């Protein structure tokens, strides 16, 4: 009986702790709906790993970003972004079907999931991290407008070693503010997102140039700038 009582109390405290953590995260997500995050988990991780190296990042509002940039990242990373709920279950089913057919397991991470990961979590492929990422992405999509998700993502995504956010990247690689990015420049920045520590938007390799061509073709296929007008 004593062991049951202890187990019951432990379960109660674990449940209450879990509920408190969920409530805290909901409040933080609601706060960041209207307040720009001062930093991100990935930026903090970079600063801890490179204590003598500063982070380049400057926040800009969505209206101060060239409309080509959000279209480029959607075309490159998450073409169903306007339509899913933060997690693209269609893409996940397709990726699993391809894996079962003998193809490699590709990622099916949405822009919303990447925003949750970059803002709150750590890099890695563990099931726990992916589960947290998916849960937070559903929360972001439910509590933020789609345009806010894109705005935060474009301001915290890494575009080069120590270069975070589209404004810092635009200035570093092209010498122009983010609002002046051309279609080609936006595609070049989007092309390096899968591996910004290796791929270089300033001196694009043949692989990056191929990705730029593909991204621009996808931007046109989606209908151009009109694709994101309803966000």
């Amino acid at each position: 009986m004593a062991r049951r009582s202890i187990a019951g109390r432990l379960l109660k405290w674990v449940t209450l702790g879990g509920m408190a953590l969920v409530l805290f995260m909901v409040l933080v997500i609601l706060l960041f709906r209207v307040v720009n995050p001062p930093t991100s988990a990935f930026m903090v991780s970079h600063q801890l790993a490179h204590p003598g190296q500063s982070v380049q990042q400057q926040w800009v509002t969505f209206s101060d970003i060239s409309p080509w940039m959000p279209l480029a990242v959607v075309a490159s990373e998450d073409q169903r972004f306007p339509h899913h709920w933060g997690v693209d279950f269609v893409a996940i089913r397709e990726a699993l079907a391809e894996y079962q057919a003998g193809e490699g397991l590709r990622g099916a991470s949405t822009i919303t999931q990447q925003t949750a990961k970059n803002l709150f979590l750590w890099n890695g492929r563990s099931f726990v991290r992916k589960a947290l990422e998916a849960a937070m992405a559903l929360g972001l999509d439910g509590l933020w407008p789609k345009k806010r998700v894109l705005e935060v993502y474009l301001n915290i995504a890494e575009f080069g070693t120590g270069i975070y956010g589209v404004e810092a990247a635009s200035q570093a690689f092209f010498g122009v503010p983010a609002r002046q990015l051309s279609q080609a420049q936006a595609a070049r920045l989007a092309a390096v997102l899968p591996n910004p520590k290796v791929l270089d938007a300033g001196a694009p390799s043949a692989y990056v140039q191929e990705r730029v061509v593909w991204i621009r073709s996808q931007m046109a296929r989606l209908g151009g700038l009109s694709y994101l007008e309803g966000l």
Side-chain angles (χ1 to χ4, degrees), residues 22 37 44 61 66 79 98 113-114 125 140 152 158 172 193-194 219-220:
V22 170
V44 171
T61 63
S66 165
Q79 295 189 5
E98 292 172 4
Q113 287 175 260
Q114 293 176 48
R125 294 180 175 274
L140 289 179
V152 173
E158 186 177 14
L193 285 172
M219 292 164 74

Side-chain angles (χ1 to χ4, degrees), residues 14-15 51 90 92 96 98 111 117 149 197:
V14 169
T15 302
V90 173
I92 291 173
L96 290 175
E98 292 172 4
I111 285 174
K117 177 185 71 175
V149 175
K197 286 182 168 57

Side-chain angles (χ1 to χ4, degrees), residues 1-13:
M1 292 294 292
R3 285 196 295 270
R4 288 182 183 177
S5 177
I6 293 172
R9 288 200 297 270
L10 181 61
L11 178 61
K12 177 182 177 181
W13 283 111

Side-chain angles (χ1 to χ4, degrees), residues 28-41:
V28 170
I29 290 171
L30 284 172
L31 175 66
F32 286 161
R33 174 179 171 139
V34 294
V35 176
N36 297 332
T39 186
S40 72

Side-chain angles (χ1 to χ4, degrees), residues 3 5 11 31-32 35 47 56 59 69 78 91 94 97 105 135 153 160 172-173 176 201 205 209 222:
R3 285 196 295 270
S5 177
L11 178 61
L31 175 66
F32 286 161
V35 176
Q47 289 175 309
Q56 298 179 54
W59 192 279
M69 193 65 227
D78 183 7
E94 290 176 352
L105 184 61
Y153 176 71
F173 295 120
V176 299
S205 63
Q209 291 173 1
L222 290 174

Side-chain angles (χ1 to χ4, degrees), residues 124-196:
R125 294 180 175 274
S126 70
F127 175 78
V128 171
R129 208 271 297 158
K130 291 297 291 185
L132 288 171
E133 175 189 298
M136 288 181 173
L138 292 170
L140 289 179
D141 194 78
L143 297 172
W144 289 3
K146 292 278 188 180
K147 186 179 289 187
R148 179 59 172 172
V149 175
L150 274 175
E151 180 181 52
V152 173
Y153 176 71
L154 289 171
N155 274 286
I156 65 173
E158 186 177 14
F159 290 93
T161 302
I163 301 174
Y164 293 86
V166 64
E167 180 68 18
S170 181
Q171 296 282 2
F173 295 120
F174 307 120
V176 299
R179 67 177 180 274
Q180 293 180 8
L181 283 170
S182 67
Q183 182 190 39
Q185 290 168 335
R188 277 170 65 177
L189 289 179
V192 305
L193 285 172
N195 195 350

